């Protein structure tokens, strides 16, 4: 295929080994994100190929001296030439002899094999479809930088409701599971998704009835099948006050299992610290009391017959969180004000003020978590949280208070991490999708959840636990977590946030463009390329709300005739997605 010559290297602007300008030839055009190539022949006779991405385009009148000359030129009174020029950021030099391209050298559009050379894809054997460029060409990620071989973890930033962070995270997961890149290992690979807001992630196993033919064609361009996630389980907290523990999920009523921990599990596994996991707890300085009470609860759980999920503490059988709270309070706050708290429960040299603050904080958590920690349900003894039963496990948190959300996220993450540690092998992989990282791993405070997320970020690569994290503001997330992410993704950014140092991997033009990105468009940075690539990803093939869920056997649903159905024209298919 003969490459299209689009211009020549400009001689009036400096050309460097990392950046140069191209004068666009008459009858041709270059736009942002186009990929180009130029050759240079060295004095030794060796030919160097320089590849790059267009990062800026300008147009000007040659011959004009004053702003008002534009009117004279338009009227034909003043002679001038209209010239377009494009700035190119170099992505690769093959072979790696870093010399600038010479002025006047022909510049061609990179297509086919040259496009792969420009994006450093020629040696990538395991390709994960990541999206499409604006001209409809596939962009892929190197699985080596996702599965821990050379790197791991993905971080996604962007404004809530506009940047479509969660939608892109689930698209990446879908691509990993359905592109064939994982081979036979895909069967045992697991995904753990935390649904922290709305019901967007509760219908992943339903086809999207709004998917149109254009969106289907985009999946075909990426080599992906069209359909929902095939193997999924939803875990949701029980309804408050429901004696049967019926899950509370809103519109989703089938295929949901209750999410709770028995009193025995809470005590035996030392889960109390996860109730003290926000900034206010860090300021109160009652860590010693938390540790002492946790140790006592563990001791009594080990000494009890816990087959019914309850715990016996000094002759008292505890089946509810309220009863547990009363027992703890009795140990720390004696009925007689002159008596001292039991030092085994309070820790030594702890003031009454600190103990009182701990008790008040624990009491305040009661109404938010009592339906999550209980042994009063009929099947409590047989209850367990299995994160491996299906390929995808969605943990629904959207109806919980923030404190309860922190508790669930921390406990479930710890269970998953300890299971990977105990397995002793990285395979099968487990991908964890968590939004609102700035809440669970804030930059300027510490908590048990943050420590687990740090472990996942720093050790998860070797354990086969991969984090796909998202947040509105990367500047508010623990630096080490973001720094350990091999793949960085940016959607629409707030103008002030775009200027933060955390986005230094975006060149100035890309930072400016990030503030005006439309939903469904993302800048993706991966270690193989020094320049982020702008891509668009297809509208979800799975339902993101109850109104989109196609029933089994219906047109457009799994098992149906495959025809797309919509409720009329959709101006912005990503409207309402987060």
């Amino acid at each position: 295929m003969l490459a299209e010559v689009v211009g020549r290297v400009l001689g009036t602007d400096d050309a460097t080994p990392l950046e140069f300008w191209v004068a666009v030839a008459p009858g041709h055009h270059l736009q942002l994100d186009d990929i180009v190539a130029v050759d240079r022949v060295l004095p030794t006779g060796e030919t160097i190929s320089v590849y790059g991405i267009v990062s800026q385009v300008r147009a000007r009148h040659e011959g004009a001296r004053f702003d008002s000359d534009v009117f004279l030129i338009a009227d034909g009174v003043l002679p001038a030439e209209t010239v377009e020029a494009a700035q190119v950021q170099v992505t690769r030099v093959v072979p790696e002899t870093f010399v600038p391209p010479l002025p006047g050298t022909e510049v061609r559009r990179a297509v086919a094999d040259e496009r792969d050379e420009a994006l450093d894809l020629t040696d990538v054997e395991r390709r994960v479809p990541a999206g499409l460029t604006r001209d409809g060409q596939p962009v892929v990620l190197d699985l080596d930088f996702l599965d821990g071989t050379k790197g791991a973890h993905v971080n996604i930033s962007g404004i809530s409701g506009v940047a479509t962070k969660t939608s892109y995270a689930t698209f990446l997961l879908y691509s990993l599971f359905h592109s064939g890149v994982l081979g036979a290992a895909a069967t045992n690979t697991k995904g753990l998704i935390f649904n922290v807001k709305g019901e967007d992630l509760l219908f992943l196993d339903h086809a999207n009835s709004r998917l149109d033919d254009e969106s289907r064609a985009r999946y075909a361009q990426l080599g992906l099948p069209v359909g929902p996630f095939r193997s999924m389980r939803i875990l949701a907290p029980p309804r408050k006050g429901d004696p049967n523990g019926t899950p509370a999920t809103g519109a989703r009523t089938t295929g949901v299992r209750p999410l709770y921990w028995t009193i025995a599990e809470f005590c035996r596994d030392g889960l109390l610290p996860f109730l003290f996991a926000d900034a206010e707890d860090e300021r109160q300085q009652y860590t010693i009391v938390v540790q002492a009470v946790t140790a006592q609860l563990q001791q009594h759980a080990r000494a009890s017959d816990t087959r019914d999920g309850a715990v016996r503490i000094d002759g008292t059988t505890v089946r509810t969180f309220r009863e547990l709270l009363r027992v703890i309070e009795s140990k720390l706050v004696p009925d007689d004000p002159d008596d001292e708290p039991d030092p085994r429960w309070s820790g030594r040299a702890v003031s009454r003020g600190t103990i009182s603050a701990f008790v008040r904080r624990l009491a305040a958590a009661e109404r938010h978590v009592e339906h999550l920690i209980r042994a009063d349900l009929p099947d409590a003894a047989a209850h367990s949280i299995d994160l491996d039963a299906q390929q995808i496990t969605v943990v629904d948190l959207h109806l919980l208070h923030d404190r309860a959300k922190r508790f669930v996220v921390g406990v479930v993450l710890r269970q998953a991490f300890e299971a990977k540690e105990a397995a002793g092998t990285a395979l099968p992989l487990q991908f964890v999708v968590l939004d609102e990282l700035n809440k669970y791993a804030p930059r300027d405070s510490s908590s048990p959840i943050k420590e687990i997320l740090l472990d996942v970020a720093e050790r998860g690569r070797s354990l086969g636990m991969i984090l796909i994290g998202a947040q509105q503001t990367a500047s508010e997330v623990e630096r080490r977590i973001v720094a350990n992410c091999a793949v960085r993704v940016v959607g629409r950014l707030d103008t002030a946030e775009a200027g933060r140092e955390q986005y230094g991997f975006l060149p100035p033009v890309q930072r400016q463009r990030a503030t005006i990105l439309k939903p469904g468009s993302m800048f993706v940075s991966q270690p193989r390329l020094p320049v982020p690539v702008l891509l668009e990803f297809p509208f979800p093939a799975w339902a993101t709300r109850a109104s989109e869920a196609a029933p089994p056997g219906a047109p457009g649903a799994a098992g149906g005739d495959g025809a797309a159905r919509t409720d009329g024209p959709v101006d912005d298919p990503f409207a309402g997605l987060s």
Side-chain angles (χ1 to χ4, degrees):
M1 181 177 180
L2 201 58
E4 173 193 2
V5 176
V6 292
R8 293 180 180 272
V9 177
L10 206 61
T12 52
D13 278 282
D14 291 343
T16 73
L18 300 179
E19 182 180 284
F20 59 93
W21 284 84
V22 177
V24 181
H28 297 272
H29 76 281
L30 284 174
Q31 64 172 328
L32 296 178
D33 308 312
D34 278 350
I35 302 172
V36 298
V38 59
D39 294 333
R40 172 169 176 182
V41 180
L42 299 179
T44 60
E46 183 182 16
T47 299
I48 304 297
S49 295
V50 180
Y51 303 97
I53 294 178
V54 175
S55 60
Q56 186 62 282
V57 183
R58 74 183 186 208
R60 69 192 334 169
H61 274 140
E62 286 189 337
R65 295 180 58 195
F66 304 105
D67 291 348
S68 58
D69 285 349
V70 65
F71 301 104
L72 299 175
I73 295 168
D75 292 338
V77 176
L78 186 66
E81 288 288 335
T82 301
V83 178
E84 288 186 52
Q87 185 183 42
V88 177
Q89 292 181 310
V90 174
T91 58
R92 286 199 75 198
V93 180
V94 182
E96 287 192 345
T97 302
F98 288 92
V99 293
L102 296 179
T105 307
E106 287 186 341
V107 178
R108 60 191 180 275
R109 199 180 301 275
V111 295
D113 291 343
E114 279 204 319
R115 181 178 179 276
D116 283 354
E117 283 280 7
L119 299 178
D120 195 16
L121 299 177
T122 51
D123 299 328
V124 178
E125 297 180 356
R126 302 189 298 162
R127 301 185 174 198
V128 181
L132 298 165
T133 57
R134 289 190 296 138
D135 59 357
Q137 297 298 311
V139 177
V140 300
L141 300 177
D142 187 346
L143 183 61
D144 285 356
F145 291 101
L146 286 177
D147 69 354
T149 304
K150 296 179 180 176
H153 312 309
V154 180
N155 185 264
I156 308 172
S157 299
I159 298 174
S160 179
V162 181
T164 53
K165 303 184 298 295
T166 306
S167 298
Y168 189 66
T170 50
F171 170 76
L172 274 184
L173 211 57
Y174 183 85
S175 184
L176 284 161
F177 287 144
H178 295 85
S179 64
V181 68
L182 295 174
T187 303
N188 294 319
T189 301
K190 305 300 180 185
L192 173 60
I193 303 176
F194 291 94
N195 182 54
V196 297
K197 51 190 176 184
E199 299 182 356
D200 296 3
L201 302 175
L202 300 185
F203 298 93
L204 299 179
D205 55 344
H206 288 66
N208 195 324
S209 60
R210 295 176 60 199
L211 198 70
D212 57 20
D213 291 337
E214 181 181 350
S215 296
R216 291 175 182 275
R218 301 184 83 186
Y219 279 94
Q221 287 175 283
L222 290 167
L224 292 172
V226 177
F229 289 84
R230 299 293 181 184
S231 172
M232 189 179 93
R233 161 182 282 189
I234 299 175
L235 301 176
R239 295 174 182 169
K240 289 186 177 181
D242 188 327
N244 298 314
T246 306
T249 55
R252 178 72 187 240
T253 58
T254 60
V256 186
R257 292 178 60 84
L259 172 73
Y260 66 92
W261 289 264
T262 65
I263 297 294
E265 289 172 327
F266 179 82
C267 297
R268 182 192 65 225
D269 298 338
L271 306 185
L272 178 66
F274 292 101
L275 291 177
F276 299 84
D278 60 21
E280 182 178 343
D281 295 315
E282 183 188 12
R283 292 191 296 268
Q284 290 296 333
Q285 301 296 316
Y286 36 54
T287 305
I288 294 176
V289 184
V290 173
Q291 292 174 344
V293 173
T294 300
Q296 285 299 308
L297 294 178
Q298 287 179 310
Q299 180 179 327
H300 283 87
R302 286 193 293 265
S304 299
D305 180 358
T306 59
R307 286 175 295 180
D308 59 354
V311 169
R312 283 79 187 169
I313 300 177
D314 295 339
T316 301
T317 299
V318 178
R319 296 189 182 278
T320 67
F321 186 76
R322 177 170 298 180
E323 292 171 351
L324 181 64
L325 178 60
R326 300 297 173 261
V327 170
I328 294 173
E329 187 175 1
S330 70
K331 301 295 184 182
L332 295 176
V333 185
D335 293 334
D336 187 342
D338 294 329
D339 290 343
E340 293 294 324
D342 188 334
R344 295 172 301 173
W345 287 79
S346 65
R348 297 189 179 279
V350 177
S351 69
R352 288 181 180 270
T354 299
I355 293 173
S356 296
F358 167 84
V359 172
R360 287 195 303 270
R361 190 67 171 160
L362 188 60
E366 179 185 345
R367 62 192 178 98
H368 302 305
V369 302
E370 62 179 341
H371 61 303
L372 298 172
I373 305 165
R374 58 200 300 181
D376 60 343
L377 296 177
D379 62 344
H383 170 74
S384 65
I385 298 174
D386 187 355
L387 301 178
D388 297 324
Q390 303 291 335
Q391 188 171 59
I392 299 290
T393 299
V394 176
V395 179
D396 181 32
L397 312 174
H398 82 281
L399 295 177
L400 292 177
H401 184 270
D402 275 353
R403 176 172 294 185
K405 284 183 180 180
R406 289 187 177 93
F407 174 78
V408 173
V409 169
V411 174
V412 172
L413 274 178
R414 192 180 81 167
Q415 176 179 331
F417 189 76
E418 289 179 347
K420 290 298 293 181
E421 279 187 312
T425 176
L427 296 177
L429 297 174
Q430 182 173 50
F431 292 90
V432 178
V433 177
L434 177 61
D435 196 1
E436 299 185 350
L437 272 184
N438 51 302
K439 177 188 295 184
Y440 302 111
R443 187 180 183 90
D444 298 322
S445 63
S446 61
S447 72
I449 306 173
K450 180 176 176 178
E451 295 306 312
I452 291 174
L453 284 168
L454 275 170
D455 271 344
V456 173
E458 296 175 342
R459 299 171 51 210
R461 172 183 170 184
S462 60
L463 295 173
M465 191 171 184
I466 313 302
L467 176 65
I468 303 177
Q471 67 284 317
Q472 293 189 49
T473 51
S475 60
E476 296 180 353
V477 178
E478 167 58 40
R479 180 189 58 80
R480 287 182 290 165
I481 291 177
V482 177
N484 274 284
C485 294
V487 178
R488 299 286 304 277
V489 182
V490 172
R492 177 82 165 265
L493 287 178
D494 173 80
T495 304
E497 178 68 9
R500 306 276 188 180
E501 62 179 353
Q502 285 74 20
Y503 304 94
F505 64 94
L506 289 175
V509 173
Q510 275 87 335
R511 286 202 198 197
Q512 183 179 359
R513 291 176 65 194
T515 64
I516 58 172
L517 286 180
K518 65 179 183 179
S521 296
M522 321 292 282
F523 278 113
V524 176
S525 174
Q526 56 178 317
R528 280 188 166 272
L529 276 182
V531 180
V533 177
L534 180 70
L535 56 79
E536 298 174 349
F537 64 98
F539 185 63
W542 47 93
T544 60
R545 54 179 66 91
S547 60
E548 294 176 351
D561 63 10
R565 295 289 186 272
T566 65
D567 298 325
V570 181
D571 294 331
D572 181 5
F574 287 94
L577 299 187
S578 60

